[in-house]
Amino acid sequence: MNADELRRQLAFYQDLGFTDLYRRTPSASPPVPVATPAPNIPMEILPTAAADTLPLILQDIGDCKRCRLHEARHRIVFGSGDEHAKLVFVGEGPGADEDMQGLPFVGRAGQLLTQMIEGTAKREGIPIQRKDVYICNVVKCRPPENRTPEPDEMEICGQFLFRQLVTIQPKAICALGATAARALLGRKEGVTRMRGNWFKWRDLPLMVTYHPSYLLRPYNQDAKREAWEDLKKVLHFVYD
Ligand code: URA
């Protein structure tokens, strides 16, 4: 790779929102931070879009202390499911159960999400289970008291979410709730206005729907029905 190609590569990653780039050395030694793009950086610089992998992203997250959310977390919740999934669900951030288990959507909201995915798929004759999709969050550490992540926390952690999406290259993304919609689309309007419509994250089709936690509230029966409709649309788009 010559200097111009390298510069273009670095600009590409800056456009993707990566603020930390590392030069990977051939040995097992820790990654060396690269402060500014210099023309003589050798070609081992990673990741390139093609070379990035989920294990590499997890390795780069490491024992992350990039934002205040690390202070109270028990486990980093990276994501789970099929690395080659055609469909990725993006939530807001881990709750208490997820923080203890290190897995996304395993508490009450997660059980509802699983039920929604598997129930809708079965009813629609689509042979998939939860393990066939990929599920992750905007922030990988639990916000204290389950508060909404702050903009700086979303931006810092967002680079890893973006890498996950670029690596998986799903056929579609389903943003669960306003925080995921804001992180991926930069839109601040309510989910009620956005849901059920197709948007794009980069060139990937993205549907916004309600967050399962919202659907657990007893007075949101209409939203529940709408969320099921949204999911049906997404599943047919991806798997038909
Ligand atoms: N809510 C989320 O947004 N993500 C989880 O993983 C669990 C609950």
Side-chain angles (χ1 to χ4, degrees):
M1 189 183 290
N2 66 33
D4 278 333
E5 286 167 338
L6 181 59
R7 240 177 256 117
R8 272 198 298 279
Q9 186 83 7
L10 290 166
F12 170 74
Y13 281 107
Q14 270 158 4
D15 286 343
L16 282 179
F18 300 169
T19 52
D20 294 332
L21 289 170
Y22 298 93
R23 183 167 54 192
R24 224 166 273 292
T25 51
S27 71
S29 54
V32 182
V34 175
T36 47
N40 60 349
I41 296 171
M43 63 183 291
E44 307 91 66
I45 186 149
L46 286 177
T48 65
D52 211 6
T53 64
L54 296 181
L56 220 52
I57 300 165
L58 184 59
Q59 184 186 313
D60 286 347
I61 291 177
D63 183 23
C64 187
K65 295 186 169 55
R66 293 170 180 85
C67 83
R68 63 188 81 78
L69 292 184
H70 81 275
E71 289 163 13
R73 73 148 187 255
H74 290 95
R75 308 274 296 269
I76 290 172
V77 180
F78 179 64
S80 72
D82 184 351
E83 182 163 1
H84 305 290
K86 290 182 182 170
L87 177 58
V88 175
F89 290 87
V90 180
E92 176 174 303
D97 295 303
E98 291 78 17
D99 178 57
M100 293 313 293
Q101 293 187 43
L103 291 168
F105 282 99
V106 289
R108 274 187 75 218
Q111 284 161 22
L112 177 59
L113 180 63
T114 306
Q115 213 176 301
M116 287 172 71
I117 295 169
E118 299 195 347
T120 310
K122 191 168 178 197
R123 221 172 318 120
E124 297 299 310
I126 298 166
I128 61 143
Q129 294 179 325
R130 173 180 163 136
K131 66 172 176 48
D132 301 311
V133 303
Y134 192 83
I135 301 178
C136 58
N137 284 300
V138 174
V139 295
K140 313 299 188 206
C141 297
R142 182 190 181 198
E145 315 298 330
N146 297 339
R147 66 159 168 78
T148 305
E150 300 287 348
D152 64 323
E153 296 158 357
M154 286 167 58
E155 190 176 330
I156 291 165
C157 222
Q159 63 180 306
F160 299 112
L161 170 64
F162 295 170
R163 280 176 66 186
Q164 285 172 301
L165 295 173
V166 169
T167 300
I168 297 169
Q169 280 293 309
K171 194 165 169 195
I173 300 165
C174 185
L176 300 168
T179 300
R182 187 173 304 183
L184 293 168
L185 299 174
R187 298 173 78 114
K188 293 188 180 171
E189 67 241 56
V191 172
T192 313
R193 287 177 67 94
M194 289 184 283
R195 62 146 287 272
N197 298 307
W198 286 107
F199 297 89
K200 284 223 157 160
W201 179 79
R202 309 282 152 80
D203 57 346
L204 300 177
L206 180 151
M207 167 86 67
V208 178
T209 194
Y210 296 105
H211 192 287
S213 301
Y214 178 74
L215 302 175
L216 283 171
R217 299 177 201 162
Y219 44 87
N220 289 336
Q221 289 310 306
D222 283 350
K224 223 169 181 171
R225 187 181 36 76
E226 289 169 342
W228 254 271
E229 285 303 313
D230 298 343
L231 193 53
K232 213 161 94 176
K233 222 190 238 186
V234 171
L235 291 178
H236 280 296
F237 173 80
V238 171
Y239 295 101
D240 277 357

